[in-house]
Amino acid sequence: MLQYNTWNIIRTDECDSTNNTIKELMKEQDLADRTALMTNLQLKGRGQGTNTWYSSKYKNLLCSLYCIANKPATDNFLITIVTSISIHRMLANHGIKSKIKWPNDIYYEDKKIAGVLIENSLIRNTIVDTIIGVGLNVNETEFPDELPNPASMKQICEKEFNMEQIFNNLVGIFDEVYAKFMHEGGEMLYHEYISSLYRLNQWHLYKLNGTTTNGRVHGVEPDGRLLFETDGGRLMHLFHGEVEYVI
């Protein structure tokens, strides 16, 4: 259950992107640990790399979560795990059986329902703080043709969702999962992440270095590298961007 006395909640009608807005606020003030910012529309929503995030106004959950971490840099991927599991659990609360597409996209069947952009601040070998941007398709029903495989909660469940309730549910679950990571480490969360992986131990087509090949997701290393097995039996350790899923 979300406790409003432990989270600083900021709401805005429109912004550049929620991650960028958090960064601007950090320049103006000492931002409180566990600050969540929610907006109705991102004018320049960002995804991984140069990707953008599409959303109609009022239709989807667009938010960023700011936390002070002070964790070793080796825990970098555990923040990805915490975030992915939080969204996965929240969707399960609403009857949606999602999977985590490595490293942190959330899928329903073969369609993308949520994306994550995590930006950690490091000093020497320490993650000082983290900004976690989440884009979740909630009530969107019409997507641009150039988006290959989107899905929304409304399309899946055939009903409208209350955005405030979804936001509260996600922040509350994240608070619980993040606290477990901070106080107990990430071993149990790591195993939950692995068991929730999209296409785990299933043979499918992928692109490696531009060449289509048959292979399967074998697991993920604690440092975030994908364990990928080719149909020739070769086990590869891949970084993000080195493999493309063929949907």
Side-chain angles (χ1 to χ4, degrees):
M1 182 69 71
L2 176 61
Q3 299 294 321
Y4 278 99
N5 62 332
T6 60
W7 278 84
N8 177 34
I9 309 297
I10 303 171
R11 292 174 177 82
T12 180
D13 186 48
E14 295 181 359
C15 70
D16 175 355
S17 80
T18 54
N19 274 27
N20 285 351
T21 302
I22 289 284
K23 291 176 187 177
E24 289 302 315
L25 289 172
M26 291 172 66
K27 293 177 183 177
E28 299 170 1
Q29 59 186 280
D30 291 329
L31 204 60
D33 181 29
R34 289 185 290 180
T35 291
L37 184 145
M38 176 186 177
T39 191
N40 296 318
L41 179 67
Q42 291 186 127
L43 302 175
K44 296 180 182 179
R46 296 186 295 136
Q48 295 288 344
T50 59
N51 294 336
T52 58
W53 185 261
Y54 171 82
S55 176
S56 300
K57 193 169 187 178
Y58 304 119
K59 292 288 187 179
N60 305 305
L61 179 61
L62 307 167
C63 66
S64 288
L65 311 178
Y66 169 80
C67 296
I68 295 173
N70 291 324
K71 284 284 191 176
T74 51
D75 281 351
N76 176 63
F77 190 67
L78 282 172
I79 296 176
T80 294
I81 288 176
V82 167
T83 307
S84 302
I85 286 175
S86 298
I87 301 170
H88 175 72
R89 288 185 184 180
M90 189 276 292
L91 290 171
N93 283 353
H94 294 278
I96 297 174
K97 297 179 180 179
S98 66
K99 292 291 184 180
I100 301 168
K101 177 176 169 287
W102 174 83
N104 55 19
D105 283 339
I106 309 300
Y107 267 48
Y108 171 77
E109 296 181 348
D110 290 321
K111 295 186 176 183
K112 184 174 177 177
I113 190 171
V116 174
L117 178 61
I118 298 174
E119 298 180 281
N120 296 324
S121 297
L122 282 85
I123 296 180
R124 297 184 180 88
N125 294 317
T126 299
I127 301 170
V128 178
D129 53 33
T130 181
I131 303 171
I132 300 163
V134 176
L136 172 65
N137 297 330
V138 180
N139 292 321
E140 194 81 54
T141 56
E142 297 182 6
F143 293 92
D145 292 339
E146 61 267 24
L147 295 181
N149 58 335
S152 70
M153 295 177 69
K154 183 175 181 178
Q155 288 176 327
I156 296 165
C157 299
E158 299 182 339
K159 68 176 185 179
E160 194 93 3
F161 288 89
N162 180 284
M163 207 68 63
E164 190 73 18
Q165 183 182 50
I166 296 297
F167 173 68
N168 288 348
N169 196 194
L170 176 61
V171 176
I173 292 172
F174 176 87
D175 188 62
E176 177 184 338
V177 178
Y178 191 78
K180 188 175 184 68
F181 157 61
M182 292 294 287
H183 295 110
E184 301 177 23
E187 184 176 354
M188 293 301 295
L189 298 174
Y190 171 76
H191 291 300
E192 182 179 348
Y193 175 89
I194 298 297
S195 66
S196 303
L197 280 173
Y198 173 67
R199 291 186 176 178
L200 180 65
N201 293 321
Q202 299 174 11
W203 292 99
H204 286 275
L205 291 177
Y206 296 84
K207 283 186 179 180
L208 293 173
N209 299 318
T211 301
T212 301
T213 184
N214 200 38
R216 66 175 177 173
V217 173
H218 197 71
V220 178
E221 294 275 29
D223 65 0
R225 289 177 297 166
L226 182 72
L227 290 173
F228 182 83
E229 183 181 2
T230 68
D231 57 3
R234 180 186 176 193
L235 191 61
M236 305 177 71
H237 303 253
L238 302 175
F239 289 100
H240 182 55
E242 293 184 327
V243 61
E244 180 182 345
Y245 288 65
V246 177
I247 305 298

